[in-house]
Amino acid sequence: MTFTQEAWARNSALFQATLEMPFNRELADGTLSIERFRHYMIQDAHYLVAFGRALAVAAARADDSDTVVQLAAAAQEAVVGERELHNGFMKQHGVTPEQFAATPLSPTAEHYTSYLLATAWGEPWPVAMAALLPCFWIYAEVGRDIHARSKPGNPWQAWVDTYAAEEFHEAVARMRDTLDRIAATTTPAMRERMHAAYTQAARLEWMFWDAAYRLEAWPV
């Protein structure tokens, strides 16, 4: 198996648990509350800025020019393209720019973004790349699953459609190809470190949705 095939197999139970989370079940059947969706949307918009920074760091460390361009374009999409999507939903659901700016990262979002940035700067480049993949891949597959299960008249259909779009899945395929290329040229020990980083980020993806469902905030 390629690195990404093995990573998916190793974490298949975690992915299944992600599909079955209350947040994702209710997003699919249209019963997710606006409070939970709003919490998620705000945190996701904050998260994507940090994710874009991590991608930019990875781009600067890339081993060839094509990968520099790939990662830099992904960073731009995370910060610019995704921000436009979020801004539209925030206007639709009554979140002002002032409210967004005044809302801090939740504990889970801060944990996840800190992990990605620390890994991007401080770990070997293959490990940093592996930590970035779950945000692409798990999100795309969850989006595809929710899209298939979405009920007619789902108020969140526009959001679901975005992450089930073929363009998003094409970006995932490119990222997987890059990871498989990197893994094929490194050592077994480094590949294990890459697997550990992938699993940690996959856990944090689960935690991010769970935090939104719980309307997580700082306790003090």
Side-chain angles (χ1 to χ4, degrees):
M1 288 192 292
T2 66
F3 170 80
T4 60
Q5 288 171 336
E6 186 175 357
W8 193 263
R10 288 190 185 194
N11 294 278
S12 60
L14 176 56
F15 175 68
Q16 191 60 40
T18 302
L19 292 181
E20 295 169 359
M21 298 180 73
F23 186 97
N24 290 325
R25 288 203 316 267
E26 293 179 17
L27 187 64
D29 66 24
T31 61
L32 186 71
S33 71
I34 191 170
E35 292 80 12
R36 286 177 169 132
F37 183 78
R38 188 183 286 127
H39 184 288
Y40 168 79
M41 180 175 54
I42 291 171
Q43 292 301 316
D44 196 46
H46 281 308
Y47 163 87
L48 284 168
V49 175
F51 184 63
R53 288 193 179 109
L55 282 165
V57 174
R61 301 177 66 190
D63 59 355
D64 67 17
S65 58
D66 287 342
T67 309
V68 171
V69 172
Q70 175 192 0
L71 297 175
Q76 181 179 16
E77 176 62 21
V79 176
V80 178
E82 299 286 349
R83 182 169 56 194
E84 291 178 2
L85 172 69
H86 285 77
N87 285 346
F89 275 94
M90 286 187 198
K91 288 178 183 177
Q92 181 181 348
H93 296 290
V95 179
T96 67
E98 293 75 21
Q99 286 174 315
F100 171 71
T103 304
L105 283 166
S106 70
T108 295
E110 183 162 298
H111 182 179
Y112 194 0
T113 57
S114 296
Y115 171 73
L116 289 179
L117 288 166
T119 303
W121 282 108
E123 293 291 340
W125 184 62
V127 176
M129 290 291 291
L132 292 166
L133 180 59
C135 182
F136 285 94
W137 198 3
I138 294 174
Y139 218 115
E141 294 303 326
V142 168
R144 179 176 279 166
D145 178 80
I146 291 174
H147 188 269
R149 293 187 288 124
S150 184
K151 299 291 179 64
N154 189 336
W156 314 122
Q157 190 63 47
W159 184 272
V160 171
D161 290 344
T162 299
Y163 288 99
E166 279 308 309
E167 294 85 354
F168 193 65
H169 287 272
E170 289 167 5
V172 173
R174 289 191 296 272
M175 191 70 171
R176 285 186 60 193
D177 288 344
T178 299
L179 261 292
D180 288 333
R181 175 183 65 78
I182 294 166
T185 62
T186 193
T187 65
M190 184 61 72
R191 283 194 291 275
E192 284 304 312
R193 292 177 67 179
M194 292 170 69
H195 277 298
Y198 178 96
T199 297
Q200 181 69 354
R203 290 190 187 113
L204 288 163
E205 284 287 311
W206 185 98
M207 290 175 63
F208 194 90
W209 276 301
D210 179 66
Y213 195 79
R214 293 184 290 106
L215 302 175
E216 183 186 68
W218 290 93
V220 292

